[in-house]
Amino acid sequence: MAEFIDIYLLPGLWILGKVLLIVVPLLLAVAYAIYFDRKIWAAIQLRRGPNVVGPWGLLQSFADGLKLLLKETIVPSGANKGVFIIAPVLMFVVAFVAWAVIPFDDGLVLSNLNVGVLYLFAISSLGVYGIIMSGWASNSRYAFLGAMRSAAQMVSYEVSIGFVIVTVLLCVGSLNLSDVVMAQEGLWFFIPLFPVFIIFFISALAETNRAPFDLPEAEAELVAGYQVEYSSLTFALFWLGEYTAVLLMCAMTTTLFFGGWLSPFDNFLFNWIPGMEAFNAFMPGLVWFLLKTFFFFFVFSWIKASVPRYRYDQLMRLGWKVFLPLSLVAVIVTAGVLVAFDMLPNAS
Amino acid sequence: MIIQALTFYLFATIAVAAGFMVIASRNPVHSVLYLILAFFTSGGLFVLMGAEFLAMIMLIVYIGAVAVLFLFVVMMLDINSVDMKQGFLQYLPIGGVIGAILAIELLFIVSSWSFGGDTSLIAATARPVVSEVGNTQSIGLVLYTDYIYAFQAAGIILLVAMIGAIVLTHRSRPGVKKQNITNQVHRTPESAVELKKIPPGQGI
């Protein structure tokens, strides 16, 4: 019995504790991300935003969550009940599972997978199932149209995201996300790979169905797309899953192009300042990681508040005729430059 | 080890059950969803074997791309399962023969592996030393050196299949409205907008 506790129970509980240590702050972060999102749009549109519940409206997300929790879950009579209920759960779970491999700080990662980048790519491509299943199971025209659009959109932009990731991996020589961050010491990848970073960021907007690519839920033409039949907790799960996916894309941008937990002041531009080294050593990497992620979240909201929605054929054209060739060229050029100047990592 | 064994049996049971449900469920969309579950659990089995690269490729290629398109098509086609059951008896012999051939082949492989004498040598050559190089690296090392021709041939076959599919399905149909992006981009306010002065009380 003692052996059972030592070998199976304690490590299991330890892993469970670490999982909770990621999931609970992440849920809180999502609640406040929704609040910040609304505040940022409000500020850009010269409104006040949520300001009633709690001081400065800080408790607005929790009030909304409680309200949704207490409402009745309505399943349409024509809906395919099992799939209808699994879809939002799937979307929520998939969005959270991906955080297992994100390195928050040096060594501060739940699962330091050797194929971390591939895992992230694989899990983020699963998000489309929640949308397709909900659209089909709702048995409603608006929901189905939204799901069809979303499926086409997410599959198209995944291709260019894949090539962008290949470009980054060529410069790293490893699929481990911690290695990706460590390879950026001194020079963050967004400087040498700037065009690729732009492609990645726009594709990330499309992959997470954010404006200007929020066609799956285009309010003006599809009411709310795939979410239209959902109410109560199932709707809340969609909402949480969507924002978690957005935060994940921000964290991915930080990790792949902006040096993850590395300090922005630890380079030749700042190192001559007296005391800078002590400051860099003092600041925990987690702070930098969270600040960078939050900055990208701000950019996401900023874009949402300032640009109009794309037309569907323009969206498809951008994905297949512009980004796909450009990212392919980027892979070839990067590989060519690395080989020509003998800069390949791990060259043996 | 017990945990690994339990996980293996859990994944294996789910995979087999999902595989059965693919052919047993009445709704074609449910069949595809069970197929995705079967892919996912076999990805999990790959992870248990220590082949994490293959597991991730399984997720990305089969679930992330192939099955999405599959689901997409099945949903759009609106297949009636009653109509599909019509030809069941007619195709039963062909399907049975194919199934039997596959089963016999599998049986041969398993029996030669189990009773064919010392197989540890084959196993040793097929398996890279995991402690020395990573899974991904060891695949990369042989794929682009020893198996370069097979790899390129597979690529060419896929390319031919892709071009063939495009050629077969892409035909010019009359009455299709297409957007011309260059024309749209080159529109100016002068050519697109007309301002008219309307005298009060008269309308246009």
Side-chain angles (χ1 to χ4, degrees), chain A residues 8-9 32 37 44 58 84 92 112 115 120 123 125-126 128-129 140 180 202 257 279 293 296 311 315 330:
Chain A
Y8 298 117
L9 200 63
Y32 278 103
D37 219 9
I44 291 175
L58 276 173
F84 186 82
F92 181 75
N112 200 7
V115 286
L120 264 188
I123 295 293
S125 69
L126 291 186
V128 66
Y129 281 107
S140 141
V180 172
I202 298 175
F257 291 98
F279 174 72
T293 308
F296 286 112
R311 212 174 54 205
L315 174 90

Side-chain angles (χ1 to χ4, degrees), chain A residues 171-228:
Chain A
C171 304
V172 180
S174 163
L175 292 170
N176 189 314
L177 280 166
S178 299
D179 289 350
V180 172
V181 174
M182 290 319 285
Q184 302 183 49
E185 242 176 349
L187 184 67
W188 294 356
F189 282 155
F190 83 97
I191 299 169
L193 300 174
F194 190 73
V196 176
F197 160 66
I198 297 293
I199 294 177
F200 180 81
F201 197 74
I202 298 175
S203 303
L205 287 173
E207 179 81 1
T208 48
N209 296 327
R210 284 284 288 205
F213 307 111
D214 54 347
L215 288 146
E217 46 195 293
E219 298 90 348
E221 56 220 73
L222 290 184
V223 201
Y226 61 93
Q227 309 170 339
V228 69

Side-chain angles (χ1 to χ4, degrees), chain A residues 98-125:
Chain A
W99 285 86
V101 293
I102 296 280
F104 296 95
D105 196 349
D106 200 1
L108 197 67
V109 47
L110 179 63
S111 165
N112 200 7
L113 274 187
N114 269 335
V115 286
V117 180
L118 284 181
Y119 175 84
L120 264 188
F121 185 55
I123 295 293
S124 69
S125 69

Side-chain angles (χ1 to χ4, degrees), chain B residues 23-43:
Chain B
I23 48 172
S25 62
R26 291 179 165 272
N27 193 326
V29 173
H30 288 179
S31 290
V32 180
L33 290 176
Y34 278 117
L35 184 69
I36 292 161
L37 183 63
F39 283 151
F40 197 85
T41 40
S42 23

Side-chain angles (χ1 to χ4, degrees), chain B residues 115-167:
Chain B
F115 312 113
D118 189 19
T119 52
S120 59
L121 266 178
I122 312 171
T125 49
R127 208 173 295 156
V129 187
V130 182
S131 56
E132 283 174 12
V133 286
N135 198 290
T136 320
Q137 206 177 349
S138 54
I139 289 180
L141 284 177
V142 292
L143 192 61
Y144 296 105
T145 50
D146 297 353
Y147 298 103
I148 181 71
Y149 294 118
F151 181 69
Q152 292 292 341
I156 288 170
I157 290 171
L158 281 175
L159 183 70
V160 170
M162 190 174 83
I163 294 173
I166 293 171
V167 169

Side-chain angles (χ1 to χ4, degrees), chain B residues 163-185:
Chain B
I163 294 173
I166 293 171
V167 169
L168 285 177
T169 52
H170 195 86
R171 57 186 197 281
S172 55
R173 285 167 295 180
V176 177
K177 284 179 184 161
K178 275 189 180 165
Q179 307 280 359
N180 190 334
I181 294 292
T182 1
N183 284 352
Q184 290 185 354
V185 172

Side-chain angles (χ1 to χ4, degrees), chain B residues 19-202:
Chain B
F20 178 74
M21 287 308 288
V22 173
I23 48 172
S25 62
R26 291 179 165 272
N27 193 326
V29 173
H30 288 179
S31 290
V32 180
L33 290 176
Y34 278 117
L35 184 69
I36 292 161
L37 183 63
F39 283 151
F40 197 85
T41 40
S42 23
L45 290 176
F46 272 130
V47 171
L48 278 182
M49 284 192 285
E52 71 260 13
F53 180 74
L54 281 183
M56 292 305 142
I57 291 299
M58 184 97 185
L59 282 191
I60 294 169
V61 175
Y62 282 98
I63 305 182
V66 174
V68 171
L69 296 178
F70 213 53
L71 194 61
F72 198 69
V73 171
V74 169
M75 281 177 182
M76 297 278 267
L77 283 182
D78 193 23
I79 302 162
N80 192 346
S81 56
V82 180
D83 289 345
M84 273 169 59
K85 293 266 156 52
Q86 292 291 322
F88 183 70
L89 279 178
Q90 191 187 342
Y91 294 113
L92 188 63
I94 305 173
V97 166
I98 294 174
I101 291 172
L102 283 178
I104 291 167
E105 279 177 355
L106 265 182
L107 208 66
F108 271 124
I109 291 171
V110 169
S111 58
S112 67
W113 192 259
S114 308
F115 312 113
D118 189 19
T119 52
S120 59
L121 266 178
I122 312 171
T125 49
R127 208 173 295 156
V129 187
V130 182
S131 56
E132 283 174 12
V133 286
N135 198 290
T136 320
Q137 206 177 349
S138 54
I139 289 180
L141 284 177
V142 292
L143 192 61
Y144 296 105
T145 50
D146 297 353
Y147 298 103
I148 181 71
Y149 294 118
F151 181 69
Q152 292 292 341
I156 288 170
I157 290 171
L158 281 175
L159 183 70
V160 170
M162 190 174 83
I163 294 173
I166 293 171
V167 169
L168 285 177
T169 52
H170 195 86
R171 57 186 197 281
S172 55
R173 285 167 295 180
V176 177
K177 284 179 184 161
K178 275 189 180 165
Q179 307 280 359
N180 190 334
I181 294 292
T182 1
N183 284 352
Q184 290 185 354
V185 172
H186 285 98
R187 256 155 62 114
T188 53
E190 288 78 47
S191 66
V193 183
E194 194 182 352
L195 283 178
K196 280 196 171 174
K197 278 258 184 231
I198 302 166
Q202 291 184 18

